[in-house]
Amino acid sequence: MAEKLKEIIESMIFISVEPLTPEKMKEVLQDVPEQDVAQAVQDLVGAYAASEGAIRIIQTAGGYVFSTKPEFDPYVRRLLQIERKSKLSHQALETLSAIAYHQPVTLPEISAIRVCDSTYALHSLLEKKLIKIVGRKEAPGRPLLYRTTDKFLVYFGLNSLEDLPKEEELKKLMEEENA
Amino acid sequence: MAEKLKEIIESMIFISVEPLTPEKMKEVLQDVPEQDVAQAVQDLVGAYAASEGAIRIIQTAGGYVFSTKPEFDPYVRRLLQIERKSKLSHQALETLSAIAYHQPVTLPEISAIRVCDSTYALHSLLEKKLIKIVGRKEAPGRPLLYRTTDKFLVYFGLNSLEDLPKEEELKKLMEEENA
Amino acid sequence: MDAEQSYQVRLEIFEGPLDLLLFLIKKKKIDIQDIPIALITREYLDYLSRKDRINLDREAEFLLMAALLIYIKSQMLLPREQLLVPEEEPRKELTDRLMDYQTIKAVVQVLREKEDEQMQVWKRSALTSPLPDEDLDLIEVSLFDLAESFFTMMKRRQGQDIKVIKGKEVTMAEKMNEIVNVLKERHYLDFLEYLGQQETLEEALIAFFCLLELIKARLVIAIQEQLFHTIKVWLRKEAHGKATHG
């Protein structure tokens, strides 16, 4: 094991979500002398620091963790922003499902269905053009009515709203889970 | 930027939760010629493959992602205190195979191929997000159609559905089996 | 039966009728393109008669295949004026299905190997990112997620609504009569389903106690087939007359 000690520690730091502490390392590498582990960690950190690569190992919160070098921050940020935009959050998904099954529907109605204020989620769905405003409801305050768009159909690979799974179909599948 | 291209891509792959696709790279690196990006990716993957380190970059689901090398599996599991990753049941795997080779496909079709009711297996695959609903079949009862997901590719370390063994390869396997 | 065969048999847990058929075909060294139906049918039925060797949960599927085999056999015994073209051969569909299933079995093998490989490889799923990741929690959104999200939400809502106690007054006697009448009409009652149909929590509770009373009075019989499964309630036969006046 000794000759691979540096790499073993590398794999452990890589996979840890929290900074990997020397105590944790010790738990896994029980038979390895403490000073050997300490030396291997130092070698590893040094090797990454000396390399030309974009990642390094930093010591923080009493442990070790991989991080990108600061100079790559702009690219990382740009990437994360793009990834963020292209995904639906749980909030958005729940709001979208409420609209899909109840359309046309108003914001207060959606919030009532979800038992949760849905203003933010609604805006993000409008921005993504998955829903649209189709008019106002003849009700006190004349709230705006929302419907799903054609983009919604394309996003979920539907031909029409008729294609949405029916309650019975879903129920059958969900019951299997509890069986 | 050019001289740091390899490292920029490295930082992006490192930070990306899902396999980083060339399209995503392009979105961030708008002005960089496509072939330069492709070359840098190849250099980067090669450099990691050649290194002694514990991590490498693998190509899966049409993108790139960091992973540990298989030999460090015992240490990672000890660290995470995981006995073994749980495998798919035979039922689920057989159903998944039928879907992979016949997609898009309906539940009755899958059950017919297996001569075995596949509702339960289908649900567990949906829950694991290894398959997804992609629409309805234009047939009596308009049954839902299923397809494998990107997570399916990642799970089996495939880059695309093209990577699934071809008919001839399977035939060879079957002959060996019957020999 | 020799020792080797019994050993083999114990190892086999057939995944379905096709799996069993393929096993028999291999054992008898039969050409899949030219299956002697009479022989394979006999072998297959032989296996079924030793039921402990197949997965009993899917007995119906195994029996269905037996019926299909017998059907093919009878078709082949019918006198014909001319030879059938290969496509009309009743064995053709069976061969096709078996071939198809054989492919799937090979795929399973390949995927299992790949799964084994991937089991030893670790990727990072959670990362510390400089941006708040509240919007990053969904990796893949399918139509199923959308629909499931909706129906789960509705279920959650239903759970809340039942806490609202409405004004309707129901007595134990009324409820008991209602239950007995339902049982007479439908012969049995799904316990959970019935409770779920009650308009208010109060009414559901009354129904629950009524059922307990009826069970205690031995007017009805309640059976839970499996742990955590629903309970079914039947009217006892001897109770039919008595319960009318309930």
Side-chain angles (χ1 to χ4, degrees):
Chain A
M1 189 205 279
E3 78 273 22
K4 280 276 177 198
L5 189 55
K6 205 174 83 180
E7 287 74 29
I8 292 169
I9 294 168
E10 187 184 6
S11 71
M12 292 197 293
I13 298 176
F14 172 79
I15 210 69
S16 298
V17 180
E18 308 264 295
L20 185 71
T21 60
E23 291 73 43
K24 276 267 178 195
M25 291 183 204
K26 235 187 125 179
E27 271 177 51
V28 177
L29 305 163
Q30 281 166 350
D31 312 326
V32 185
E34 215 162 308
Q35 66 267 38
D36 288 7
V37 174
Q39 185 59 52
V41 171
Q42 225 178 320
D43 290 351
L44 184 67
V45 174
Y48 268 100
S51 93
E52 292 284 298
I55 53 182
R56 56 176 184 170
I57 293 172
I58 53 170
Q59 193 173 4
T60 175
Y64 298 87
V65 69
F66 270 106
S67 105
T68 54
K69 290 181 186 167
E71 59 201 286
F72 301 101
D73 198 44
Y75 304 102
V76 168
R77 273 176 181 280
R78 220 183 292 167
L79 177 72
L80 291 175
Q81 221 104 41
I82 289 165
E83 288 205 335
R84 193 177 165 184
K85 258 189 220 152
S86 59
K87 265 178 239 149
L88 282 181
S89 70
H90 180 79
Q91 293 281 322
L93 183 64
E94 208 175 272
T95 305
L96 189 57
S97 75
I99 297 170
Y101 281 91
H102 284 280
Q103 57 189 310
V105 65
T106 67
L107 175 57
E109 284 163 354
I110 299 162
S111 297
I113 292 165
R114 295 186 56 217
V115 199
C116 170
D117 175 50
S118 307
T119 315
Y120 177 78
L122 196 82
H123 278 279
S124 91
L125 291 171
L126 276 171
E127 218 174 287
K128 290 187 174 78
K129 300 200 193 306
L130 292 170
I131 59 164
K132 61 184 174 188
I133 298 167
V134 290
R136 285 180 186 278
K137 189 170 179 158
E138 295 304 330
R142 306 197 68 238
L144 293 168
L145 280 166
Y146 298 89
R147 266 193 180 285
T148 54
T149 61
D150 281 352
K151 198 180 162 192
F152 162 83
L153 295 177
V154 173
Y155 189 98
F156 290 102
L158 297 165
N159 272 330
S160 75
L161 289 172
E162 299 285 294
D163 285 354
L164 279 172
K166 305 275 176 306
E167 174 143 26
E168 310 85 65
E169 288 172 301
L170 262 291
K171 225 183 187 167
K172 232 189 111 192
L173 283 170
M174 287 201 273
E175 269 161 15
E176 291 290 331
E177 174 185 22
N178 301 328
Chain B
M1 188 206 278
E3 77 276 19
K4 281 277 175 198
L5 187 56
K6 206 175 84 182
E7 287 72 30
I8 291 169
I9 294 169
E10 187 184 6
S11 70
M12 291 197 294
I13 297 176
F14 181 83
I15 209 72
S16 186
V17 179
E18 288 164 54
L20 184 70
T21 59
E23 292 74 42
K24 284 262 169 71
M25 293 182 201
K26 233 187 127 177
E27 272 187 71
V28 177
L29 305 164
Q30 280 166 348
D31 313 326
V32 186
E34 216 162 303
Q35 66 266 39
D36 289 6
V37 174
Q39 185 60 51
V41 170
Q42 223 178 319
D43 291 351
L44 182 68
V45 173
Y48 268 99
S51 93
E52 292 284 299
I55 55 179
R56 57 176 180 172
I57 295 173
I58 53 172
Q59 194 174 7
T60 182
Y64 298 86
V65 68
F66 271 103
S67 92
T68 58
K69 291 181 185 168
E71 58 201 285
F72 301 100
D73 174 53
Y75 305 102
V76 170
R77 277 193 288 117
R78 219 183 292 166
L79 177 73
L80 301 178
Q81 293 180 324
I82 295 172
E83 281 287 320
R84 275 243 159 263
K85 287 196 203 165
S86 65
K87 290 185 177 189
L88 289 176
S89 71
H90 186 91
Q91 290 279 322
L93 191 58
E94 201 176 282
T95 305
L96 192 55
S97 302
I99 296 170
Y101 271 79
H102 291 274
Q103 57 187 311
V105 66
T106 67
L107 174 57
E109 285 163 354
I110 300 162
S111 296
I113 292 165
R114 299 184 57 219
V115 194
C116 174
D117 177 46
S118 306
T119 316
Y120 179 76
L122 195 83
H123 183 259
S124 90
L125 293 171
L126 273 170
E127 234 189 355
K128 291 190 171 79
K129 298 200 194 300
L130 293 170
I131 59 165
K132 61 182 174 185
I133 298 169
V134 291
R136 282 179 192 279
K137 190 171 178 154
E138 296 303 332
R142 309 197 69 234
L144 294 168
L145 281 166
Y146 300 89
R147 267 192 181 286
T148 56
T149 60
D150 277 357
K151 204 179 159 193
F152 161 81
L153 296 175
V154 174
Y155 185 87
F156 292 103
L158 300 165
N159 193 32
S160 75
L161 289 173
E162 301 283 296
D163 281 1
L164 283 171
K166 303 279 175 301
E167 199 103 0
E168 312 85 71
E169 294 168 68
L170 291 174
K171 238 185 203 151
K172 241 183 92 188
L173 253 176
M174 283 187 265
E175 272 156 22
E176 279 166 29
E177 181 81 337
N178 293 332
Chain C
M1 188 195 288
D2 56 27
E4 188 211 57
Q5 200 180 357
S6 67
Y7 171 69
Q8 211 172 15
V9 161
R10 254 183 284 117
L11 278 182
E12 289 291 337
I13 306 156
F14 297 106
E15 289 298 331
L18 290 176
D19 209 22
L20 172 55
L21 268 185
L22 280 177
F23 167 77
L24 295 173
I25 284 167
K26 217 169 115 182
K27 202 176 90 179
K28 292 279 156 190
K29 298 194 170 36
I30 289 168
D31 178 5
I32 201 166
Q33 300 292 349
D34 186 22
I35 301 169
I37 289 293
L39 172 72
I40 206 75
T41 304
R42 198 169 56 238
E43 288 280 321
Y44 186 89
L45 292 176
D46 222 39
Y47 245 90
L48 280 209
S49 62
R50 302 179 248 161
K51 271 184 196 160
D52 56 315
R53 284 172 187 153
I54 60 166
N55 188 340
L56 281 173
D57 289 350
R58 283 170 289 136
E59 196 175 359
E61 283 142 8
F62 284 93
L63 292 177
L64 199 69
M65 179 56 73
L68 179 70
L69 287 172
I70 293 165
Y71 169 75
I72 296 173
K73 203 172 100 179
S74 70
Q75 286 293 89
M76 291 179 69
L77 289 174
L78 287 179
R80 305 214 181 252
E81 284 182 4
Q82 46 196 144
L83 282 175
L84 288 166
V85 289
E87 284 69 39
E88 286 175 6
E89 237 234 79
R91 289 184 303 175
K92 176 85 167 58
E93 199 206 323
L94 183 65
T95 300
D96 286 352
R97 278 198 183 190
L98 280 168
M99 299 276 283
D100 229 20
Y101 185 68
Q102 216 174 14
T103 314
I104 296 300
K105 274 192 78 168
V107 177
V108 166
Q109 207 182 319
V110 171
L111 288 182
R112 188 63 93 190
E113 276 165 31
K114 291 203 180 289
E115 184 186 38
D116 278 340
E117 279 167 32
Q118 293 303 313
M119 294 264 127
Q120 296 176 37
V121 162
W122 296 82
K123 298 172 200 95
R124 313 206 302 172
S125 47
L127 287 167
T128 40
S129 83
L131 289 173
D133 58 2
E134 74 215 25
D135 255 348
L136 286 170
D137 55 355
L138 257 184
I139 291 165
E140 183 147 13
V141 180
S142 74
L143 185 57
F144 179 77
D145 298 319
L146 180 82
E148 194 189 33
S149 167
F150 180 71
F151 294 117
T152 318
M153 190 165 70
M154 292 319 282
K155 239 196 237 166
R156 204 172 63 208
R157 282 252 301 162
Q158 273 167 14
Q160 287 168 347
D161 281 354
I162 205 162
K163 290 195 195 85
V164 184
I165 295 175
K166 293 177 191 153
K168 193 177 162 196
E169 288 274 347
V170 190
T171 67
M172 287 273 285
E174 280 168 0
K175 198 85 225 167
M176 230 179 279
N177 252 329
E178 186 189 305
I179 292 171
V180 170
N181 285 330
V182 171
L183 282 175
K184 274 190 191 162
E185 214 174 275
R186 301 207 333 230
H187 301 296
Y188 83 90
L189 229 170
D190 184 315
F191 192 63
L192 289 180
E193 192 186 293
Y194 183 69
L195 289 186
Q197 286 163 357
Q198 304 304 309
E199 277 180 51
T200 64
L201 181 64
E202 199 177 32
E203 219 179 316
L205 283 174
I206 290 172
F208 180 64
F209 288 123
C210 284
L211 274 170
L212 287 185
E213 280 299 312
L214 288 169
I215 293 165
K216 229 163 63 187
R218 298 183 62 80
L219 286 168
V220 303
I221 183 165
I223 291 169
Q224 187 179 28
E225 280 161 324
Q226 261 178 289
L227 202 61
F228 304 124
H229 276 211
T230 189
I231 296 165
K232 281 182 179 161
V233 182
W234 280 269
L235 206 56
R236 278 181 189 272
K237 279 209 173 68
E238 62 270 29
H240 263 276
K242 261 201 276 179
T244 323
H245 312 287

